Amino acid sequence: MRVWLLGWLLLATPLLAAQIDPVVFKALDDARAAEQRGDATTARLRLQAVLPASAEGSLERALLQQRLAYMAIDANDAEHAIHWLTESLKQRALDAEAQAQDRANLARLLMQQGRYQQAAAELALLPSSDATRQLQVQAYRQLGQFDKALPLAEQVVRQRPSVDDSWYQLLVGMNYELKRYTAAARWQQVLLQRAPERAANWRQLASLQSLAGEQSKAAATMRLAQLAGVGLSELDMESLVALHARAGSPWQAARLLEQLLRERLLNTTLERQRQLAQLWQAARDYPQALQVWLQVAGATGQPADQLKVAWLHYQQAQWQAVLAVIQGIQPTGAAQRRQLVSLRGAAEQALSAVQ
C-alpha cells in the first residue's frame, strides 16, 4: 500500500528530542527499533501504551498517532490508517509540510476505500498542485460531480498544456461518460498529436468521431492512420463498427460501415452488405435497410434475402410490395413457408381493411 504514499520519516534528532516529552520520544525510538527487528506488534503496543499520557493537541500525541497510522499502512490496514491519520491531523501540532503530506496520504487512503466525499473534503484543504488537483478531479468524477471535475481539469490543461497525458485522458473519459463525444474527440486529438505512432490513439479518435455522428471524419482519421504508416487493419475497422453495435449505437455503426465501404477502406462484399442492412434495420431506419437488402437479394436471389425485403416492406405498411415480393420466393423449408403464409395473410388482411 505504501508505494503510492508520500513519505515523512520520523528522525531521532537532538532537536526533536528537545521538543517532546522524553517518555514519548523513547517510546517512538523503541517502536522504531522493534519495527526494524520485524516486530510490528511490539512496536504498536509500545506506542499505544504511552498514548493516554499525551495531552490532546500536543506534538507528542500527533507524533504517536502519525506513527501508528504509518504502521497500519505498512500492514495494509487502511481503516486504522485512516483513523490514526485523522486523529493526528486533529492535533494541528505538526509542521505545515508534514501535515500536508499526511493529509494527502489520508485522501489517497479514502479514495482507495471509495470514500470519495471525505477525500474531496480533505483535498480541498491542501495547497494546490497537479497531484492534488488530479485526485480532486478523480474524486468529483466518482461522485458524479462533473460540474466540478471538468472545469478543474480544463483549468489545469489551459494553464499548462504540456501536463501529463493522464489529464487529457481524464478529459476524454469524463466527456465520454457524459456522451459529449465531440468534446471527447477534441481532447483525444491532443493525445494523438503527442503520440501519433500509437494505433490506439487513432482508433479512439475515430470511435469518438463516429459516436459524435461525424462518420466522414472517422473514416478520414482511419485513412490518415494508414498514410501515417500506423497500419490500421480491416479487423481494426470491423472491430470499431462492432463496438458501436454492442454499445447500442446501431445508427452510428451503420453510418461508419457505410462510410468505410464508400471510401474503400473496407472491400464491399455480400457479407458486409448484409451486415450494413442489419445495422440499418436495428437502427429502425427501414428505408435505408430496404435499399441495401434489395441490392443483396438482387445479387443472390436467395429466399432468405428476399424474405428480408418482404419483411421490410411489411414494416413500412407497403402491402402491395409485400405481395409482389413473396410471389417470386421459392421457400426452402418449413420455417420459410410459415413466414410466407404469415406475410401474405397480413398483407391481404390490411388491403381488405383499406378497401
Side-chain angles (χ1 to χ4, degrees), residues 16-267:
L16 185 59
Q19 288 178 321
I20 66 174
D21 185 287
V23 174
V24 173
F25 184 86
K26 187 174 188 312
L28 289 166
D29 203 37
D30 290 346
R32 185 177 59 178
E35 281 191 277
Q36 289 174 344
R37 296 194 305 270
D39 189 355
T41 300
T42 296
R44 186 175 62 256
L45 291 174
R46 182 76 177 91
L47 295 172
Q48 289 175 331
V50 299
L51 185 60
S54 61
E56 190 70 29
S58 67
L59 177 61
E60 287 84 356
R61 176 158 288 204
L63 289 169
L64 290 167
Q65 291 168 333
Q66 184 199 53
R67 188 66 247 152
L68 285 165
Y70 284 101
M71 287 181 64
I73 289 169
D74 286 338
N76 288 313
D77 183 353
E79 284 305 316
H80 279 100
I82 289 170
H83 168 75
W84 289 120
L85 278 175
T86 302
E87 291 301 311
S88 178
L89 286 165
K90 281 181 183 178
Q91 310 309 317
R92 298 183 180 181
L94 298 176
D95 64 47
E97 182 182 359
Q99 286 192 71
Q101 290 181 352
D102 285 350
R103 197 176 300 280
N105 288 336
L106 173 59
R108 285 178 169 83
L109 285 164
L110 290 166
M111 293 278 288
Q112 187 187 67
Q113 297 299 300
R115 294 160 62 174
Y116 302 112
Q117 193 69 57
Q118 290 171 272
E122 295 295 338
L123 290 164
L125 299 174
L126 285 169
S128 181
S129 70
D130 279 358
T132 299
R133 287 186 291 187
Q134 191 166 48
L135 284 172
Q136 284 179 304
V137 169
Q138 291 168 348
Y140 291 141
R141 181 183 186 179
Q142 292 293 336
L143 290 167
Q145 296 177 1
F146 292 100
D147 58 324
K148 294 181 180 179
L150 273 168
L152 183 57
E154 289 170 356
Q155 179 188 23
V156 170
V157 298
R158 278 198 303 270
Q159 290 175 348
R160 292 204 305 115
S162 61
V163 290
D164 186 77
D165 284 357
S166 59
W167 283 102
Y168 292 100
Q169 289 161 356
L170 276 169
L171 284 164
V172 171
M174 287 190 290
N175 280 289
Y176 174 83
E177 288 175 49
L178 292 171
K179 297 185 179 181
R180 294 169 53 177
Y181 302 122
T182 300
R186 185 173 70 250
W187 296 117
Q188 180 62 32
Q189 282 178 319
V190 178
L191 292 169
L192 174 60
Q193 290 165 3
R194 288 184 166 199
E197 73 284 356
R198 293 190 61 215
N201 282 335
W202 293 91
R203 284 195 296 268
Q204 180 80 348
L205 177 57
S207 177
L208 291 167
Q209 288 170 329
S210 180
L211 285 169
E214 298 176 325
Q215 281 71 34
S216 58
K217 284 187 178 180
T221 294
M222 291 185 172
R223 185 175 292 284
L224 284 172
Q226 290 183 327
L227 293 173
V230 174
L232 292 181
S233 66
E234 287 194 351
L235 180 60
D236 289 321
M237 300 181 197
E238 288 172 341
S239 296
L240 189 54
V241 172
L243 179 66
H244 290 332
R246 287 195 301 271
S249 303
W251 187 85
Q252 285 89 342
R255 283 284 306 275
L256 179 60
L257 179 56
E258 184 180 62
Q259 192 69 34
L260 293 173
L261 294 171
R262 184 180 296 132
E263 297 286 333
R264 297 184 181 179
L265 291 167
L266 287 175
N267 293 323

Side-chain angles (χ1 to χ4, degrees), residues 303-348:
D305 295 330
Q306 292 172 320
L307 275 167
K308 293 288 188 183
V309 172
W311 276 111
L312 282 163
H313 282 306
Y314 170 82
Q315 291 283 355
Q316 298 172 85
Q318 297 167 348
W319 311 119
Q320 292 288 5
V322 172
L323 293 173
V325 171
I326 62 178
Q327 287 275 349
I329 298 177
Q330 299 297 320
T332 59
Q336 289 185 358
R337 280 194 293 272
R338 285 194 296 272
Q339 289 181 61
L340 285 171
V341 170
S342 177
L343 284 166
R344 182 177 287 108
E348 290 175 347

